[in-house]
Amino acid sequence: MKKKNSGLIIFLVIIILLLGGFIIYDKNFLGLKSENGDTSSDISSSTNKVDTNIKIGSVGNNEGKAVFNIDKDAYFYIKDGKVVFHKADGTEVVDSTIPDKVIQVALGESCNGYDKRLAALTENGDVYYNKYYNLESVGTNDYNYKFEFIKVVAEGKVYGIESISPNVFQTCGFSSLFAYVDSANKRVINTNIDYDNSTTPDNRVVYSASLGKTYNELYPYDKYYIIFNLDGPVLYKLNDGKLYFERQSGIANADTYLTIDGSYIYADSIYLYKSTDDNTDIRTIIDKDKKVYLLTITKKENYGFKFSYSVENTGKVVKEIKEQSNNDGATTYLLEYTDGSSEKVF
């Protein structure tokens, strides 16, 4: 009889525990239950968060127009949700090939005055690219341009478009078209161009377009420095301050980060220290702790690499940097060190 009573008591205790657990879960005393009762959707939303703060058109070119470099009286703008080409003589051509309302336009240009790469963003987050790569004619009050937009392939919505002059050495202000896939990252708009059916290079036609690498993937550096001249090595500084020479520099140990005493150099700023002759270039590197290094690049006369470099720790620490303007308009910098000495750099 005692065994039966004990078994009954154990059974009742289990029932009470189960009921208590259900009540705790149902009332969400411990916060285990999502507001809609679906814990799986709660987990999903926490791992796939969407930036709800960004709106289509909130980044990129919000000026509403894109003006020609060669003639400020000629430009593209938006009117009633359509892309309009305003000619220098005041006449206008309205596009009818984009089916949705346009909210942004961006214009890429190069040294060639004929080059007019045009993109448009719609209120739905789609990007369209004009097939006609170039102006049909260029002259005073005589600009002809044809509209025929094609949709750019993208993996999701685009929040803005912009024409950007890349952080590379150039002499004519070439710009590329980029599309913002979120508030911080923008991807280049790549195109496939039909060269085979073009009678001349100026009649190139785009037959497809898609989003490519991000700006940071294409240009993963903060600044660059051309050593000697255009055929000299190029020194790159990453956002974190690490330094390296590009592979095409013809310099020993290219694509390898500059180090000294077994540690990376995290540069804050770089100045020209002196050029002793046509074969030697010396740069002052100030790291993020204000320590000073000298980078010496030398032209090599012997067979092999065209250039070599060495890094020296000066043992000096910068106290203050003073910018100075010379009578000829050039800017120099006076480095004042903690030991009381100072040097002028450029």
Side-chain angles (χ1 to χ4, degrees):
M1 187 69 179
K2 288 183 179 180
K3 289 183 178 180
K4 289 184 177 181
N5 289 338
S6 298
L8 180 61
I9 291 171
I10 293 171
F11 177 75
L12 291 173
V13 169
I14 293 172
I15 294 297
I16 291 171
L17 290 174
L18 290 173
L19 287 172
F22 175 78
I23 292 171
I24 290 173
Y25 172 78
D26 187 58
K27 298 298 183 182
N28 201 27
F29 291 135
L30 299 180
L32 299 174
K33 186 178 178 183
S34 65
E35 290 183 2
N36 60 8
D38 186 356
T39 56
S40 63
S41 65
D42 229 19
I43 296 172
S44 175
S45 63
S46 66
T47 56
N48 297 291
K49 292 182 179 180
V50 176
D51 186 359
T52 56
N53 295 322
I54 184 173
K55 295 182 179 179
I56 297 172
S58 62
V59 290
N61 179 24
N62 284 309
E63 296 180 0
K65 65 189 300 185
V67 181
F68 283 21
N69 284 332
I70 57 175
D71 190 336
K72 302 304 179 184
D73 292 327
Y75 53 86
F76 299 99
Y77 77 107
I78 302 168
K79 182 179 180 180
D80 299 327
K82 299 291 184 182
V83 180
V84 179
F85 174 36
H86 179 92
K87 294 186 177 184
D89 62 4
T91 60
E92 295 186 338
V93 179
V94 181
D95 171 63
S96 61
T97 63
I98 299 177
D100 303 313
K101 181 180 178 180
V102 174
I103 59 174
Q104 281 186 356
V105 289
L107 175 65
E109 296 185 277
S110 69
C111 302
N112 179 358
Y114 290 80
D115 178 6
K116 296 290 179 284
R117 290 161 282 119
L118 186 66
L121 174 71
T122 71
E123 62 181 352
N124 300 324
D126 296 321
V127 180
Y128 287 83
Y129 198 99
N130 196 35
K131 286 177 61 175
Y132 295 100
Y133 200 92
N134 301 90
L135 288 170
E136 291 184 294
S137 63
V138 177
T140 304
N141 297 330
D142 181 28
Y143 300 102
N144 291 318
Y145 191 80
K146 294 171 64 177
F147 284 130
E148 188 177 341
F149 284 93
I150 57 175
K151 190 173 181 179
V152 176
V153 177
E155 294 179 334
K157 292 183 182 298
V158 169
Y159 297 94
I161 56 175
E162 191 172 7
S163 175
I164 299 175
S165 183
N167 186 22
V168 296
F169 176 77
Q170 56 175 312
T171 59
C172 63
F174 176 87
S175 60
S176 297
L177 295 173
F178 285 83
Y180 285 85
V181 293
D182 55 39
S183 58
N185 294 300
K186 46 188 176 287
R187 295 186 175 276
V188 68
I189 302 177
N190 287 330
T191 57
N192 289 321
I193 302 171
D194 185 354
Y195 289 98
D196 294 335
N197 295 320
S198 298
T199 55
T200 68
D202 291 332
N203 289 330
R204 293 171 291 184
V205 175
V206 175
Y207 62 86
S208 69
S210 61
L211 298 190
K213 293 183 177 181
T214 66
Y215 184 91
N216 290 335
E217 288 172 334
L218 292 170
Y219 314 104
Y221 49 86
D222 179 44
K223 292 183 178 180
Y224 66 91
Y225 306 85
I226 299 174
I227 312 298
F228 295 117
N229 48 44
L230 295 182
D231 62 349
V234 180
L235 178 68
Y236 289 107
K237 182 172 82 71
L238 299 181
N239 292 327
D240 64 0
K242 287 182 181 177
L243 303 167
Y244 69 96
F245 286 99
E246 67 172 346
R247 180 172 297 175
Q248 291 79 14
S249 289
I251 195 166
N253 302 317
D255 275 355
T256 301
Y257 293 126
L258 272 61
T259 61
I260 192 167
D261 301 329
S263 300
Y264 292 115
I265 297 174
Y266 293 94
D268 180 67
S269 52
I270 299 174
Y271 301 98
L272 175 62
Y273 180 68
K274 64 175 68 173
S275 292
T276 57
D277 52 48
D278 292 339
N279 297 316
T280 305
D281 186 294
I282 304 176
R283 303 278 163 152
T284 296
I285 300 173
I286 303 173
D287 75 4
K288 296 184 182 298
D289 295 323
K290 304 302 181 184
K291 296 178 182 178
V292 180
Y293 305 91
L294 290 182
L295 170 64
T296 302
I297 304 98
T298 306
K299 290 184 179 180
K300 297 171 68 72
E301 298 296 334
N302 59 322
Y303 178 80
F305 293 107
K306 295 180 180 178
F307 309 93
S308 64
Y309 71 86
S310 62
V311 183
E312 173 193 352
N313 186 347
T314 67
K316 295 181 179 181
V317 178
V318 171
K319 179 181 179 181
E320 189 176 0
I321 302 175
K322 294 182 177 179
E323 184 176 328
Q324 301 175 333
S325 296
N326 298 335
N327 294 331
D328 59 0
T331 301
T332 59
Y333 301 88
L334 182 66
L335 306 183
E336 296 184 348
Y337 300 121
T338 55
D339 63 3
S341 63
S342 64
E343 287 182 303
K344 182 182 290 187
V345 293
F346 306 91

